[in-house]
Amino acid sequence: MPVENGEFVRRILDTVGGRWPLLVLAHLDGGPRRYRELEQVLTGISQRMLTLTLHRLGEDGLISRASFAEMPPRVEYSLTPLGKSLLDAAAGLVRWVSDHHSAIDRARRPGR
Amino acid sequence: MPVENGEFVRRILDTVGGRWPLLVLAHLDGGPRRYRELEQVLTGISQRMLTLTLHRLGEDGLISRASFAEMPPRVEYSLTPLGKSLLDAAAGLVRWVSDHHSAIDRARRPGR
């Protein structure tokens, strides 16, 4: 797997490397979600981090934001086709971790 | 893609999420390497970060360290089968970024 150092690899890590981007994308895979819904399913995320992650994913064209002129106003976030394709590409990695995290657990145990 | 919140997703991000783990694994894909060689090909990495990343990858069982009783002593790092399988699983993600980083660039341009 040829991996040039530099910008594009950093973008991998910036795009999905952070703790929350992958998890936000995965939860939007089931369809549009409101801020409050994401906040509830993403246990442990702060409002600041959720707002920042949604902003960055939107900046990168991976999610879209729709607001509806209702009372109270409604805002929904959705995966874009680009976001969906990233999620699919990351699926192999997510499967790998779910298949191997016990092997990593064993490796981490002292005196293995 | 079912993604439960919690420990195993954090392990994805801890294992490959950082800036350097994926890049170190990718450079070991070509065969064993010495510390100095890794330091040279990984432009921008500090000695502290390289030492820490090698230690963590070793702790997780993703790389192995062999030392040879020569003068001066020689130390080499290699991918383990577990490390190789992670690299293969991450390949889809690396390919995705190399295919889409211009789409992200366009999305990031103001007034797109």
mmCIF file of all heavy atoms in Angstrom, chain B residues 26-50:
data_model
loop_
_atom_site.group_PDB
_atom_site.id
_atom_site.type_symbol
_atom_site.label_atom_id
_atom_site.label_comp_id
_atom_site.label_asym_id
_atom_site.label_seq_id
_atom_site.Cartn_x
_atom_site.Cartn_y
_atom_site.Cartn_z
ATOM 1 N N ALA B 26 2.503 1.512 7.392
ATOM 2 C CA ALA B 26 2.617 1.468 5.926
ATOM 3 C C ALA B 26 4.087 1.380 5.509
ATOM 4 O O ALA B 26 4.430 0.667 4.570
ATOM 5 C CB ALA B 26 1.967 2.706 5.337
ATOM 6 N N HIS B 27 4.967 2.084 6.249
ATOM 7 C CA HIS B 27 6.385 2.041 5.857
ATOM 8 C C HIS B 27 7.056 0.716 6.255
ATOM 9 O O HIS B 27 8.107 0.378 5.720
ATOM 10 C CB HIS B 27 7.138 3.230 6.461
ATOM 11 C CG HIS B 27 6.944 4.495 5.679
ATOM 12 N ND1 HIS B 27 7.520 4.724 4.456
ATOM 13 C CD2 HIS B 27 6.162 5.586 5.911
ATOM 14 C CE1 HIS B 27 7.135 5.901 3.988
ATOM 15 N NE2 HIS B 27 6.289 6.449 4.841
ATOM 16 N N LEU B 28 6.445 -0.029 7.176
ATOM 17 C CA LEU B 28 6.993 -1.355 7.530
ATOM 18 C C LEU B 28 6.456 -2.426 6.599
ATOM 19 O O LEU B 28 6.883 -3.571 6.634
ATOM 20 C CB LEU B 28 6.661 -1.696 8.986
ATOM 21 C CG LEU B 28 7.368 -0.853 10.050
ATOM 22 C CD1 LEU B 28 6.891 -1.248 11.450
ATOM 23 C CD2 LEU B 28 8.887 -0.990 9.956
ATOM 24 N N ASP B 29 5.470 -2.027 5.748
ATOM 25 C CA ASP B 29 4.881 -2.986 4.813
ATOM 26 C C ASP B 29 5.930 -3.474 3.824
ATOM 27 O O ASP B 29 5.827 -4.560 3.274
ATOM 28 C CB ASP B 29 3.718 -2.308 4.061
ATOM 29 C CG ASP B 29 2.777 -3.349 3.440
ATOM 30 O OD1 ASP B 29 2.798 -4.512 3.905
ATOM 31 O OD2 ASP B 29 2.020 -2.986 2.507
ATOM 32 N N GLY B 30 6.979 -2.660 3.625
ATOM 33 C CA GLY B 30 8.013 -3.062 2.674
ATOM 34 C C GLY B 30 9.085 -3.935 3.304
ATOM 35 O O GLY B 30 10.038 -4.333 2.646
ATOM 36 N N GLY B 31 8.952 -4.260 4.595
ATOM 37 C CA GLY B 31 9.947 -5.131 5.260
ATOM 38 C C GLY B 31 10.510 -4.439 6.487
ATOM 39 O O GLY B 31 10.228 -3.248 6.727
ATOM 40 N N PRO B 32 11.344 -5.175 7.290
ATOM 41 C CA PRO B 32 11.872 -4.614 8.536
ATOM 42 C C PRO B 32 12.640 -3.307 8.293
ATOM 43 O O PRO B 32 13.273 -3.137 7.256
ATOM 44 C CB PRO B 32 12.820 -5.713 9.043
ATOM 45 C CG PRO B 32 12.386 -6.968 8.366
ATOM 46 C CD PRO B 32 11.821 -6.551 7.055
ATOM 47 N N ARG B 33 12.514 -2.439 9.291
ATOM 48 C CA ARG B 33 13.214 -1.150 9.164
ATOM 49 C C ARG B 33 13.891 -0.813 10.499
ATOM 50 O O ARG B 33 13.367 -1.168 11.562
ATOM 51 C CB ARG B 33 12.196 -0.036 8.875
ATOM 52 C CG ARG B 33 11.493 -0.193 7.539
ATOM 53 C CD ARG B 33 12.141 0.666 6.495
ATOM 54 N NE ARG B 33 11.278 0.828 5.331
ATOM 55 C CZ ARG B 33 11.466 1.799 4.435
ATOM 56 N NH1 ARG B 33 12.419 2.686 4.635
ATOM 57 N NH2 ARG B 33 10.715 1.895 3.384
ATOM 58 N N ARG B 34 14.968 -0.055 10.428
ATOM 59 C CA ARG B 34 15.596 0.431 11.650
ATOM 60 C C ARG B 34 14.982 1.768 12.050
ATOM 61 O O ARG B 34 14.373 2.449 11.208
ATOM 62 C CB ARG B 34 17.095 0.598 11.426
ATOM 63 C CG ARG B 34 17.772 -0.750 11.187
ATOM 64 C CD ARG B 34 19.263 -0.573 11.241
ATOM 65 N NE ARG B 34 19.908 -1.552 10.379
ATOM 66 C CZ ARG B 34 21.221 -1.572 10.184
ATOM 67 N NH1 ARG B 34 21.979 -0.643 10.757
ATOM 68 N NH2 ARG B 34 21.768 -2.482 9.398
ATOM 69 N N TYR B 35 15.210 2.141 13.298
ATOM 70 C CA TYR B 35 14.685 3.402 13.829
ATOM 71 C C TYR B 35 15.099 4.569 12.919
ATOM 72 O O TYR B 35 14.263 5.358 12.482
ATOM 73 C CB TYR B 35 15.206 3.627 15.255
ATOM 74 C CG TYR B 35 14.632 4.821 15.959
ATOM 75 C CD1 TYR B 35 13.552 4.681 16.811
ATOM 76 C CD2 TYR B 35 15.158 6.108 15.742
ATOM 77 C CE1 TYR B 35 13.012 5.782 17.461
ATOM 78 C CE2 TYR B 35 14.629 7.214 16.377
ATOM 79 C CZ TYR B 35 13.555 7.043 17.235
ATOM 80 O OH TYR B 35 13.020 8.136 17.859
ATOM 81 N N ARG B 36 16.397 4.611 12.625
ATOM 82 C CA ARG B 36 16.928 5.740 11.835
ATOM 83 C C ARG B 36 16.230 5.817 10.481
ATOM 84 O O ARG B 36 15.892 6.899 9.988
ATOM 85 C CB ARG B 36 18.440 5.549 11.680
ATOM 86 C CG ARG B 36 19.239 6.752 11.269
ATOM 87 C CD ARG B 36 19.259 7.884 12.295
ATOM 88 N NE ARG B 36 19.962 7.570 13.533
ATOM 89 C CZ ARG B 36 19.624 8.135 14.731
ATOM 90 N NH1 ARG B 36 18.584 8.935 14.823
ATOM 91 N NH2 ARG B 36 20.299 7.858 15.824
ATOM 92 N N GLU B 37 15.982 4.652 9.866
ATOM 93 C CA GLU B 37 15.341 4.653 8.538
ATOM 94 C C GLU B 37 13.924 5.224 8.634
ATOM 95 O O GLU B 37 13.497 6.028 7.795
ATOM 96 C CB GLU B 37 15.255 3.207 8.000
ATOM 97 C CG GLU B 37 16.588 2.602 7.600
ATOM 98 C CD GLU B 37 16.426 1.124 7.234
ATOM 99 O OE1 GLU B 37 16.167 0.307 8.148
ATOM 100 O OE2 GLU B 37 16.498 0.788 6.042
ATOM 101 N N LEU B 38 13.198 4.802 9.683
ATOM 102 C CA LEU B 38 11.828 5.295 9.863
ATOM 103 C C LEU B 38 11.842 6.806 10.102
ATOM 104 O O LEU B 38 11.038 7.555 9.541
ATOM 105 C CB LEU B 38 11.156 4.571 11.032
ATOM 106 C CG LEU B 38 10.786 3.114 10.768
ATOM 107 C CD1 LEU B 38 10.365 2.422 12.067
ATOM 108 C CD2 LEU B 38 9.666 3.014 9.728
ATOM 109 N N GLU B 39 12.805 7.236 10.906
ATOM 110 C CA GLU B 39 12.903 8.658 11.222
ATOM 111 C C GLU B 39 13.099 9.471 9.947
ATOM 112 O O GLU B 39 12.532 10.544 9.784
ATOM 113 C CB GLU B 39 14.085 8.876 12.172
ATOM 114 C CG GLU B 39 13.995 10.147 12.968
ATOM 115 C CD GLU B 39 15.217 10.343 13.864
ATOM 116 O OE1 GLU B 39 16.188 9.538 13.772
ATOM 117 O OE2 GLU B 39 15.201 11.291 14.647
ATOM 118 N N GLN B 40 13.869 8.909 8.993
ATOM 119 C CA GLN B 40 14.159 9.661 7.763
ATOM 120 C C GLN B 40 12.960 9.706 6.817
ATOM 121 O O GLN B 40 12.650 10.746 6.243
ATOM 122 C CB GLN B 40 15.370 9.055 7.045
ATOM 123 C CG GLN B 40 16.682 9.524 7.666
ATOM 124 C CD GLN B 40 17.829 8.547 7.437
ATOM 125 O OE1 GLN B 40 17.641 7.505 6.769
ATOM 126 N NE2 GLN B 40 18.996 8.860 7.984
ATOM 127 N N VAL B 41 12.241 8.560 6.703
ATOM 128 C CA VAL B 41 11.131 8.558 5.731
ATOM 129 C C VAL B 41 9.892 9.262 6.279
ATOM 130 O O VAL B 41 9.050 9.739 5.505
ATOM 131 C CB VAL B 41 10.739 7.132 5.292
ATOM 132 C CG1 VAL B 41 11.797 6.493 4.447
ATOM 133 C CG2 VAL B 41 10.381 6.258 6.487
ATOM 134 N N LEU B 42 9.780 9.341 7.614
ATOM 135 C CA LEU B 42 8.585 9.958 8.210
ATOM 136 C C LEU B 42 8.863 11.441 8.475
ATOM 137 O O LEU B 42 8.970 11.891 9.613
ATOM 138 C CB LEU B 42 8.205 9.225 9.499
ATOM 139 C CG LEU B 42 7.781 7.782 9.315
ATOM 140 C CD1 LEU B 42 7.717 7.053 10.665
ATOM 141 C CD2 LEU B 42 6.434 7.709 8.623
ATOM 142 N N THR B 43 8.937 12.206 7.397
ATOM 143 C CA THR B 43 9.299 13.630 7.553
ATOM 144 C C THR B 43 8.299 14.318 8.481
ATOM 145 O O THR B 43 7.081 14.132 8.351
ATOM 146 C CB THR B 43 9.264 14.365 6.193
ATOM 147 O OG1 THR B 43 8.180 13.812 5.438
ATOM 148 C CG2 THR B 43 10.546 14.205 5.438
ATOM 149 N N GLY B 44 8.846 15.054 9.426
ATOM 150 C CA GLY B 44 7.977 15.832 10.318
ATOM 151 C C GLY B 44 7.728 15.156 11.651
ATOM 152 O O GLY B 44 7.222 15.756 12.582
ATOM 153 N N ILE B 45 8.110 13.876 11.787
ATOM 154 C CA ILE B 45 7.882 13.207 13.067
ATOM 155 C C ILE B 45 9.031 13.516 14.027
ATOM 156 O O ILE B 45 10.197 13.583 13.622
ATOM 157 C CB ILE B 45 7.722 11.667 12.878
ATOM 158 C CG1 ILE B 45 7.082 11.037 14.121
ATOM 159 C CG2 ILE B 45 9.050 10.998 12.542
ATOM 160 C CD1 ILE B 45 6.591 9.601 13.915
ATOM 161 N N SER B 46 8.685 13.762 15.302
ATOM 162 C CA SER B 46 9.742 14.015 16.294
ATOM 163 C C SER B 46 10.248 12.663 16.822
ATOM 164 O O SER B 46 9.545 11.641 16.724
ATOM 165 C CB SER B 46 9.161 14.811 17.471
ATOM 166 O OG SER B 46 8.231 13.974 18.183
ATOM 167 N N GLN B 47 11.447 12.652 17.399
ATOM 168 C CA GLN B 47 11.987 11.398 17.953
ATOM 169 C C GLN B 47 11.056 10.897 19.052
ATOM 170 O O GLN B 47 10.772 9.700 19.153
ATOM 171 C CB GLN B 47 13.396 11.637 18.501
ATOM 172 C CG GLN B 47 14.438 11.677 17.395
ATOM 173 C CD GLN B 47 15.871 11.537 17.932
ATOM 174 O OE1 GLN B 47 16.089 11.558 19.154
ATOM 175 N NE2 GLN B 47 16.821 11.398 17.029
ATOM 176 N N ARG B 48 10.524 11.838 19.841
ATOM 177 C CA ARG B 48 9.639 11.450 20.938
ATOM 178 C C ARG B 48 8.395 10.751 20.386
ATOM 179 O O ARG B 48 7.986 9.700 20.863
ATOM 180 C CB ARG B 48 9.233 12.702 21.736
ATOM 181 C CG ARG B 48 8.428 12.379 22.982
ATOM 182 C CD ARG B 48 7.904 13.631 23.688
ATOM 183 N NE ARG B 48 6.717 13.265 24.457
ATOM 184 C CZ ARG B 48 5.490 13.173 23.937
ATOM 185 N NH1 ARG B 48 5.289 13.421 22.637
ATOM 186 N NH2 ARG B 48 4.457 12.818 24.671
ATOM 187 N N MET B 49 7.809 11.322 19.320
ATOM 188 C CA MET B 49 6.579 10.749 18.759
ATOM 189 C C MET B 49 6.871 9.401 18.098
ATOM 190 O O MET B 49 6.079 8.460 18.220
ATOM 191 C CB MET B 49 5.967 11.716 17.735
ATOM 192 C CG MET B 49 4.687 11.217 17.097
ATOM 193 S SD MET B 49 3.426 10.673 18.295
ATOM 194 C CE MET B 49 2.837 12.270 18.863
ATOM 195 N N LEU B 50 8.022 9.280 17.425
ATOM 196 C CA LEU B 50 8.346 8.005 16.772
ATOM 197 C C LEU B 50 8.544 6.918 17.838
ATOM 198 O O LEU B 50 8.005 5.811 17.731
ATOM 199 C CB LEU B 50 9.597 8.144 15.905
ATOM 200 C CG LEU B 50 10.089 6.857 15.224
ATOM 201 C CD1 LEU B 50 8.966 6.203 14.400
ATOM 202 C CD2 LEU B 50 11.307 7.137 14.331
#
